[in-house]
Amino acid sequence: MLISADREILQIIGVTLRMSFFSTTVSCLAGMPLGILITSIDFKGKRTIRKIINTLMGLPPVVAGLIVYMLFTKYGIFGSLGLLFTVEVMVIAQCLLIIPVVISLTSSVCSVNGKNLLETSKGLSFGKLKTMRLFLSQNKTALMSVMLTAFGRSIAEVGAVSIVGGNIQWKTRVMTTAIMLETNKGNFEFALALGMVLLLISFAVNIIASLFAKEEGQ
Amino acid sequence: MIKINNLKKLYGERTVLDIPLLEIKSGECVVLTGHNGSGKSTLLKILAGTVKENEGKAISEGKIYYLPQQSIPFNKSVKANILFCLDGKRKIKRELCDDVLNAFELKQFENKSAKTLSGGECQRLALARVLCRKGDIILLDEPSSAADNKGRALINELIKQYCEKTGCTLIMTTHTGEFPKISNLRIIELCDGKIKKDSMTGEINDA
């Protein structure tokens, strides 16, 4: 089934990649600037916010899935949008899980040289946007690792996506939920093969990222 | 013009800066001297706005640019470091960048990564980044501490030329005892956060 590139498998891989791409992109676009802001700006309640973010890093995926499910269910606040059991809502649930991770890791990465870099930037009277650009360009390689971590968390996640996506065939079934289904059916060999494909995808993404990092280094 | 009134800065319970009154006129060039921990860098940081004072006020008029002691070279080429600090249209920026690179003797490194420069070259680049912004008040914290004798002389000469050309207000710190040979240079010696001596060049040996 895998070797013959079954249509359903290809569709599952497609949905997995689409979901992981969007959840990683949205999480990084939202989380990285917030991580930089937390490092570079002193404000009241900074410690509390850090604690909240660190707590959210440990948010169980099923709880995140449940929260998003309740928000998007027919009688939920966003029920009228009709997004439940779609890839879009799976992306939203994943963002809830990944954004705190990205914020926290970005903040750690930027705090290594953050104080001196911020002083240099302030000394040159750079605006907030230019300071942000500076932080991003100074920490490109480390931020690439943050992005890979986000992608890894997204592609391997199962709890939240199965709750809000419903594991619907030809629609919201992704690699992890397919593996879970096949395991429950007793198709261990096929589940293992799917797991191998998942690992291969992760490996390919890592190779591409390391090529980018190498280019940066040169 | 810079006016300091009852300025106090404490780190914990230790008073690192205590200046009751200090006025620096527009266009004046001031060198802050003193031993390590005398409060020179803290004073510059307060003027630059990177550190907040505990008491008093430091009022200044004009655009301030500040070169910290630990200025970081950006993760770009030497040329891109300068270009990143310049504002305006691309063509004008490129022309200005070439002038700056030539003036600071950095032209031969223009395509080299700034991270690969030596300590002295790095300081020259950091100084070039600050001076190319063309401010009214320039604050330099040990701008030549990592340079060798030749490098220090070059940096001091560049600072002198810049001050004479632009008429900016300059405040710089040093503990090497070498300063730019600017006429009417004001030298303020700090000791334990307080002003110990305030004199003009020529008077320093007598004070």
Side-chain angles (χ1 to χ4, degrees):
Chain A
M1 202 174 174
L2 274 176
I3 295 164
S4 61
D6 181 86
R7 259 189 70 218
E8 190 182 350
I9 298 286
L10 292 177
Q11 195 266 345
I12 290 172
I13 293 173
V15 174
T16 308
L17 287 177
R18 189 153 59 101
M19 176 194 72
S20 298
F21 172 77
F22 283 110
S23 52
T24 307
T25 308
V26 174
S27 299
C28 288
L29 285 178
M32 283 182 179
L34 287 173
I36 294 170
L37 278 180
I38 284 178
T39 314
S40 59
I41 294 174
D42 283 321
F43 55 90
K44 228 180 175 183
K46 189 171 167 173
R47 278 188 182 181
T48 315
I49 287 181
R50 270 187 191 276
K51 276 178 191 159
I52 293 169
I53 290 164
N54 288 340
T55 308
L56 286 175
M57 272 177 81
L59 180 71
V62 279
V63 176
L66 183 67
I67 293 166
V68 177
Y69 183 91
M70 285 165 73
L71 289 172
F72 285 87
T73 194
K74 200 177 173 185
Y75 303 105
I77 302 169
F78 305 113
S80 57
L81 297 172
L83 285 176
L84 202 62
F85 306 125
T86 62
V87 176
E88 286 79 9
V89 84
M90 286 156 76
V91 170
I92 292 168
Q94 288 212 324
C95 287
L96 193 64
L97 288 168
I98 303 168
I99 288 174
V101 177
V102 175
I103 293 175
S104 185
L105 291 179
T106 305
S107 175
S108 302
V109 161
C110 294
S111 61
V112 177
N113 262 331
K115 210 181 156 195
N116 289 339
L117 191 60
L118 192 68
E119 203 172 41
T120 305
S121 175
K122 268 190 177 174
L124 292 163
S125 292
F126 288 162
K128 277 180 188 157
L129 205 67
K130 211 163 182 175
T131 303
M132 193 84 78
R133 270 176 61 198
L134 197 58
F135 266 92
L136 288 173
S137 70
Q138 286 297 102
N139 300 294
K140 257 182 205 168
T141 315
L143 290 175
M144 188 82 86
S145 299
V146 175
M147 215 185 278
L148 282 177
T149 308
F151 182 80
R153 173 113 206 219
S154 167
I155 203 165
E157 204 281 314
V158 61
V161 291
S162 61
I163 291 177
V164 297
N167 194 20
I168 302 167
Q169 195 179 20
W170 298 107
K171 198 181 170 195
T172 58
R173 184 164 296 167
V174 287
M175 298 294 283
T176 48
T177 53
I179 291 169
M180 201 172 69
L181 182 75
E182 295 303 325
T183 308
N184 288 339
K185 278 160 58 181
N187 290 337
F188 298 117
E189 276 180 23
F190 187 60
L192 209 61
L194 283 173
M196 293 295 286
V197 175
L198 195 64
L199 265 175
L200 278 174
I201 293 170
S202 272
F203 184 65
V205 171
N206 269 285
I207 294 282
I208 294 166
S210 65
L211 285 175
F212 271 113
K214 206 174 170 186
E215 248 174 49
E216 277 307 316
Q218 283 167 355
Chain B
M1 183 187 155
I2 297 168
K3 202 171 179 185
I4 290 169
N5 260 323
N6 296 318
L7 193 73
K8 259 192 187 182
K9 177 69 192 170
L10 293 101
Y11 286 130
E13 284 181 10
R14 187 176 152 231
T15 306
V16 290
L17 203 63
D18 183 5
I19 300 178
L21 187 70
L22 178 66
E23 270 190 38
I24 295 165
K25 289 174 200 147
S26 276
E28 201 168 9
C29 296
V30 178
V31 172
L32 298 174
T33 64
H35 57 79
N36 289 341
S38 57
K40 310 183 294 284
S41 297
T42 307
L43 177 56
L44 286 198
K45 282 177 183 178
I46 290 172
L47 291 173
T50 61
V51 160
K52 277 205 169 172
E53 62 277 1
N54 293 95
E55 279 176 40
K57 262 183 188 174
I59 304 161
S60 54
E61 287 166 7
K63 194 94 178 149
I64 297 179
Y65 290 110
Y66 161 61
L67 172 66
Q69 226 175 89
Q70 309 284 335
S71 187
I72 291 184
F74 304 151
N75 208 356
K76 303 164 184 283
S77 69
V78 170
K79 192 176 183 177
N81 261 262
I82 304 288
L83 284 170
F84 194 75
C85 299
L86 292 169
D87 297 319
K89 286 185 179 171
R90 194 175 287 184
K91 199 187 162 193
I92 298 166
K93 270 167 70 172
R94 276 193 188 153
E95 284 171 9
L96 264 171
C97 179
D98 274 343
D99 293 344
V100 173
L101 288 169
N102 284 323
F104 285 80
E105 295 185 13
L106 291 165
K107 187 75 183 165
Q108 70 264 40
F109 311 120
E110 65 174 342
N111 295 318
K112 235 176 135 180
S113 165
K115 297 261 179 191
T116 62
L117 295 181
S118 70
E121 289 159 357
C122 233
Q123 265 189 334
R124 233 183 306 148
L125 174 64
L127 181 67
R129 284 189 322 209
V130 170
L131 297 188
C132 76
R133 302 276 288 166
K134 292 185 179 147
D136 305 307
I137 300 168
I138 305 290
L139 310 171
L140 308 173
D141 197 357
E142 309 264 1
S144 59
S145 59
D148 56 14
N149 289 342
K150 197 182 155 203
R152 270 205 297 276
L154 175 63
I155 285 175
N156 283 335
E157 182 56 29
L158 286 165
I159 294 170
K160 182 194 164 199
Q161 281 175 13
Y162 182 83
C163 291
E164 285 173 353
K165 196 174 158 191
T166 61
C168 68
T169 307
L170 170 84
I171 307 175
M172 65 177 275
T173 66
T174 179
H175 68 261
T176 58
E178 287 178 42
F179 355 104
K181 292 184 178 85
I182 300 169
S183 53
N184 296 324
L185 190 68
R186 186 174 169 190
I187 298 166
I188 298 173
E189 190 182 340
L190 292 177
C191 184
D192 298 327
K194 289 177 180 159
I195 295 175
K196 192 179 168 192
K197 259 184 224 169
D198 188 348
S199 54
M200 303 299 285
T201 35
E203 295 171 27
I204 184 136
N205 294 331
D206 315 324

